[in-house]
Amino acid sequence: MSNLDRQPALSVCGGRGFVVAEPVRELLSPRTVQLGESTEVRRLLPNLGRRMVGAWAFVDHYGPDDIADEPGMQVAPHPHMGLQTVSWLHQGEVLHRDSLGSLQTVRPRELGLMTSGRAISHSEETPKSHSRFLHGAQLWVALPDAHRHVEPHFQHHADLPHVTAPGIDATVILGELDGATSPGSTYTPIVGADLSLTAGAETRLPLNPDFEYAVLAMSGEAHVDEVPVLPGSMLYLGCGRTELPLRATSDAAVMLLGGEPFEEEIVMFWNWIGRSNEEIQQARSDWMTGSRFGEVKGYDGAPIPAPELPAVPLKPRGRVR
């Protein structure tokens, strides 16, 4: 789960200043970003109008891409800190390697969850023998200050809990939904779920009014609170909702993302989440000198060098220095 932008922004996210305390319907348009040599993604978070949704701090949607004669996703080793990465596929396979020695192929509707904690590095690649299509989402969850220096670890869960009702099958990726709880480790009150809707389905999904929510459209034609949400776009819903009306005019799939508003302000740059400019500068130095983030063994290629930090230091909104 990677940000390969060679000129990434250094930005402050989080804090309750951007949280909408009431239900809204704010449609977010993506920007296109190249991920490696052959995969193009649509970036929904961070967005000019919306930085986070709960602890969800980064959301990319990609595909469906026909990679029958292509290498697919090829992302060389790169570092992370202060966050969790979530790999979620609808089609295809991604091979995960990391500096802990983990080696795992993640397949559709399986959870690949990497908690970077204080420091980790990993690579992602489409296996040489792979399915024709690649389609999925890649997401980050910001770790709160009390847990952002935990020991790094990787989890793979092939069997996840489901919530079903007429016309809907919800796979609980992270957190809890309608009494079903994912086995993935979480550090803030959060939910992530994959919702499969059949054509003609019309239902209401129970929500936590203390959470803020957004819905990412993956495929098909779905209406979220009567707003048509096209694949690759995301609808921000604010807080204060007890239920969410959903309607599908064709077979469709969306991802529900939500959580308690993230109170802390964080600094995001490239593949790191910290709390100050100085932390980001130190992370860059540690990656470029080969210390702290470890080594990914087995990937056929060199690690990705870190981009240069902006010449002008970030001006914080409040607590961040």
Side-chain angles (χ1 to χ4, degrees):
M1 304 304 102
S2 320
N3 180 8
L4 300 188
D5 192 340
R6 299 313 300 166
Q7 294 182 317
L10 180 65
S11 58
V12 172
C13 304
R16 287 186 174 262
F18 289 104
V19 176
V20 180
E22 60 186 6
V24 295
R25 296 182 294 181
E26 180 183 301
L27 193 61
L28 305 180
S29 298
R31 66 184 180 93
T32 302
V33 177
Q34 198 68 29
L35 185 67
E37 296 181 1
S38 58
T39 303
E40 189 176 81
V41 303
R42 291 166 287 279
R43 183 151 299 159
L44 282 311
L45 287 181
N47 190 291
L48 286 176
R50 184 63 47 197
R51 295 294 185 179
M52 297 179 71
V53 176
W56 298 99
F58 182 95
V59 176
D60 278 352
H61 173 257
Y62 56 91
D65 295 326
D66 188 340
I67 59 168
D69 300 314
E70 302 291 337
M73 184 181 294
Q74 299 295 322
V75 182
H78 57 280
H80 286 286
M81 75 172 189
L83 56 89
Q84 293 176 290
T85 66
V86 176
S87 301
W88 190 251
L89 291 167
H90 278 197
Q91 293 174 284
E93 307 85 20
V94 172
L95 178 62
H96 165 96
R97 302 175 192 265
D98 63 40
S99 52
L100 303 176
S102 308
L103 180 65
Q104 179 65 54
T105 300
V106 180
R107 296 180 171 84
R109 268 76 177 193
E110 298 179 354
L111 173 61
L113 178 63
M114 185 180 76
T115 301
S116 68
R118 55 181 177 76
I120 199 171
S121 57
H122 74 143
S123 64
E124 302 153 290
E125 59 187 306
T126 298
K128 291 183 180 179
S129 176
H130 58 261
S131 303
R132 176 175 179 177
F133 292 101
L134 181 64
H135 181 206
Q138 44 188 3
L139 314 99
W140 296 355
V141 178
L143 291 172
D145 191 61
H147 299 287
R148 66 192 182 98
H149 298 298
V150 300
E151 288 297 310
H153 57 276
F154 177 77
Q155 295 172 272
H156 174 250
H157 297 287
D159 296 315
L160 296 168
H162 289 251
V163 174
T164 59
I168 183 172
D169 184 348
T171 303
V172 185
I173 302 168
L174 276 187
E176 184 268 344
L177 178 68
D178 197 25
T181 302
S182 165
S185 296
T186 59
Y187 297 88
T188 59
I190 195 171
V191 66
D194 185 274
L195 314 178
S196 295
L197 303 166
T198 58
E202 191 164 353
T203 188
R204 291 177 177 269
L205 193 69
L207 299 181
N208 182 339
D210 294 329
F211 281 15
E212 60 176 340
Y213 289 95
V215 170
L216 169 66
M218 297 292 288
S219 60
E221 299 181 24
H223 289 69
V224 180
D225 196 14
E226 296 305 319
V227 177
V229 185
L230 298 177
S233 62
M234 188 162 74
L235 184 68
Y236 176 71
L237 297 163
C239 299
R241 293 176 179 268
T242 58
E243 61 181 15
L244 181 63
L246 297 167
R247 178 166 58 87
T249 54
S250 70
D251 288 350
V254 302
M255 292 184 71
L256 176 71
L257 306 174
E260 191 173 278
F262 200 80
E263 292 193 1
E264 301 170 28
E265 288 188 354
I266 61 176
V267 177
M268 284 182 61
F269 180 76
W270 199 42
N271 293 295
W272 300 306
I273 290 180
R275 297 299 186 275
S276 68
N277 291 307
E278 291 76 17
E279 280 189 27
I280 299 298
Q281 290 169 346
Q282 186 62 56
R284 185 184 187 280
S285 175
D286 290 345
W287 175 244
M288 295 301 288
T289 58
S291 61
R292 180 178 166 195
F293 290 95
E295 178 185 358
V296 178
K297 297 182 179 179
Y299 183 86
D300 185 15
I304 302 172
E308 295 288 342
L309 283 158
V312 179
L314 183 70
K315 293 182 180 180
R317 294 198 306 256
R319 293 187 298 274
V320 179
R321 297 187 302 278

